[in-house]
Amino acid sequence: MGLTAFPATAQAQTPVLCSESSLVDAIATANAAGGDTLLLLPFCTYRLTSAHGRGPAGPVGLPPITLLGMGSTITRDPSAPAFRVMEVEGAANVPAIKGQLSMVGVTVSGGSAVSPYPGGGISNFYVNAPVLAALAPVSGPLSGGNTVTLTGTHLVEATAVRFANTAATSFTVVSDTRITAVAPAGPAGPVEVTVSTAGGTRNAVSYAYVPAPALAALSPGQGPASGGNSVTLTGTDLGPTTRVLFGTTPATFTVVSDTHVVAEAPPGAVGPVDVTVVTPGGTSAPAGYTRVGPPAV
């Protein structure tokens, strides 16, 4: 179970019986009440057999709280899975608490942190806010579904990736400097992409949702099978064109405006061929073009 502890606010001291379950239950009760001071039994060893919390650096035996003891010990059982005994998160994560942990007359031992984080007994873990530097590609279709790579620093503890106010369909933390995210659907235009960690959310990088292109006409609608002639394509949302295809053959092209593209028809077999335009927003529906053979002699 996940537990979040608060520094003690009550003056009374709550005694805790000498068992793992009693200690965990006491901390849960103290958290629900907004804080407490727990009095551990003298010379008792509280042996933890499993993690009862989780922090940014992995599983944690117990979250922080004020503990008083007299020769009391809190230890991880040697046969238990690896976890640190306690983790105190820094001020960036819990400003009102500021990472406070008070212990008197208590020994903590046997902690075993999960790689790659060092230490094992008690860790004062400060999570930096993520910093984004760039993303690629910088645009995509309104329907989403494409994979976007975000680069920056302090990304390894990412808990959320958002496109404006919409969560990414999914995301994968590759390293502390790289995340891949699947873009959700969104309206046409630019949005801010952010990454959040326990350290907060800092800057955003821009991503644009692009409508799919549409072809209305080709002029001329036919040409020689040898290619080389200029064909004017008219339609909408052609500005970000990245490819013009005659069938599966790419053509050399020039974007004139958002409604006009001029392409040089490539050579091909005599007969009809579909012409399509590709942009980050998708691929247009095809428009027909006909290749004509030389006249018979």
Side-chain angles (χ1 to χ4, degrees), residues 15-283:
V16 181
L17 297 178
C18 189
S19 72
E20 176 182 13
S21 60
S22 295
L23 182 58
V24 172
D25 290 346
I27 290 179
T29 300
N31 288 339
D36 200 353
T37 297
L38 304 183
L39 181 61
L40 306 186
L41 290 190
F43 307 109
C44 166
T45 295
Y46 294 85
R47 195 175 302 277
L48 304 178
T49 59
S50 64
H52 297 279
R54 186 171 186 88
V60 181
L62 295 170
I65 201 164
T66 299
L67 302 173
L68 299 180
M70 187 175 71
S72 305
T73 298
I74 299 174
T75 186
R76 183 185 68 88
D77 189 288
S79 64
F83 57 81
R84 68 175 74 253
V85 176
M86 290 185 176
E87 184 171 280
V88 186
E89 296 181 18
N93 308 322
V94 279
I97 299 173
K98 299 183 179 178
Q100 295 177 10
L101 170 63
S102 300
M103 289 196 299
V104 178
V106 179
T107 299
V108 174
S109 67
S112 179
V114 177
S115 177
Y117 302 101
I122 301 174
S123 171
N124 187 8
F125 192 95
Y126 182 91
V127 179
N128 291 291
V131 179
L132 289 176
L135 58 72
V138 297
S139 57
L142 305 184
S143 59
N146 56 311
T147 299
V148 178
T149 298
L150 297 92
T151 55
T153 55
H154 310 307
L155 306 182
V156 72
E157 301 298 340
T159 56
V161 176
R162 293 184 177 85
F163 288 66
N165 295 321
T166 304
T169 302
S170 64
F171 69 91
T172 301
V173 176
V174 180
S175 68
D176 194 47
T177 60
R178 185 181 175 199
I179 291 176
T180 59
V182 176
V191 297
E192 291 189 338
V193 180
T194 57
V195 172
S196 299
T197 70
T201 303
R202 187 171 290 178
N203 67 310
V205 288
S206 183
Y207 176 84
Y209 283 100
V210 180
L215 285 178
L218 305 181
S219 180
Q222 63 180 22
S226 59
N229 57 309
S230 292
V231 179
T232 299
L233 295 76
T234 57
T236 55
D237 300 309
L238 305 182
T241 295
T242 57
R243 288 201 300 169
V244 175
L245 300 174
F246 282 66
T248 58
T249 304
T252 301
F253 68 91
T254 300
V255 175
V256 179
S257 68
D258 199 48
T259 59
H260 287 80
V261 171
V262 176
E264 182 179 302
V270 171
V273 63
D274 286 339
V275 178
T276 53
V277 171
V278 181
T279 75
T283 301

